[in-house]
Amino acid sequence: MLSTAPEAQPSARDLFRRGLVIPAHPLALDAGRRLDERRQRALTRYYVAAGAGGLAVGVHTTQFALHGTPMLAPVLELAAETSRAAGREVLLVAGATGPTGQAVAEAELARSLGYHMVLLSPYAGLDEDGLIERAAAVGEVLPVIGFYLQPAVGGRTLSREFWTRLASIESVAGIKVAPFDRYRTLDVLHGVVRAGRADEVALYTGNDDHILADLITTHRVVVDGREVEVEFVGGLLGQWAVWVRKAVGLLEEARRARGGDDEAVRRLLSLDGHLTDANAAIFDSANGFHGCIPGIHEILRRQGLLAGRWCLDPEEDLSPGQLAEIDRVWAAYPWLRDDEFVAEGLDRWLS
């Protein structure tokens, strides 16, 4: 006899472990550098309509300067409210920063607004022992996503032992791996395997310079004579704050590639250089990533989602020569863009 009981819905943590496109949500400001609620909502609606499985809000792309200001709570709340209207589960990830007390308080705010997880940014004021204690404290509030952030935008080098210890914390649900460095990326993979939690800690690429290669590779990590397969299941990326409809398709194709589709492997390897070249322009790699956030804003401005490139810091704008580089990659790689999709939905998202 067939059961008539409703099928159990996957938990947020289950969805996260399966692998999602998670855009790092930008901050929409007006010319007076005040929150532009209409366009902030439009961005969220765009990401959800494009098929993103989650949103990361209050993270680097949202601008770390947001933390400690009265704007943080309404920005988190806008994304939560808007995504809940989508009619499907959207994983909500809140960025938390600062010393332990601040990070815990920000996690508590996120929990009160319905967020599922916290992306815990590194903090220079603590050594590795202190960072582990901080992660454990935040994990008592919400599941934690560790974050290996590249030094150029505020990160620091962390030992392989650190990642082993972090992955051993039961409340750590995943790690965003974004050191932009293959050696440091391998440190995280080895750490997760050494912790014995390769099946529980979801790895998300944040290596915006290596997105597709990360997503199609099955790593075989050997620790103490044991070989363990680990994969990046999804991406939590600033690059995926733009051209999201195409990003969703790329993740699906990456799953097929890891499953043995050789044609998908060859196609994605050819696209990998295109996406990295585009990212170099958008993220301003030539100038130490100074124009990273304005570069993302410029793409969204061209598509009509943002009104301008304004950042909280009036001095933060595109670097000399960056606009010409964005023009170049915009023209060179139309297959990376989702302009038609945005044009079709823009009026609806802005309403």
Side-chain angles (χ1 to χ4, degrees), residues 265-283:
V265 172
R266 289 192 294 272
R267 172 178 145 76
L268 291 177
L269 284 174
S270 69
L271 289 179
D272 187 49
H274 299 172
L275 187 55
T276 300
D277 190 27
N279 177 260
I282 296 168
F283 271 43

Side-chain angles (χ1 to χ4, degrees), residues 69-82:
T69 74
M71 202 185 295
L72 177 62
V75 167
L76 291 173
E77 188 172 10
L78 271 172
E81 286 182 353
T82 306

Side-chain angles (χ1 to χ4, degrees), residues 48 68 116 298 308 318-320:
V48 173
H116 303 102
E298 172 62 18
L318 298 178
S319 294

Side-chain angles (χ1 to χ4, degrees), residues 222-252:
V222 179
V223 173
D224 299 329
R226 298 178 301 114
E227 184 178 85
V228 179
E229 290 190 354
V230 288
E231 298 173 338
F232 286 93
V233 297
L236 198 170
L237 294 151
Q239 177 62 41
W240 281 358
V242 302
W243 304 336
V244 180
R245 186 67 170 175
K246 293 300 180 74
V248 170
L250 290 171
L251 179 59
E252 287 299 322

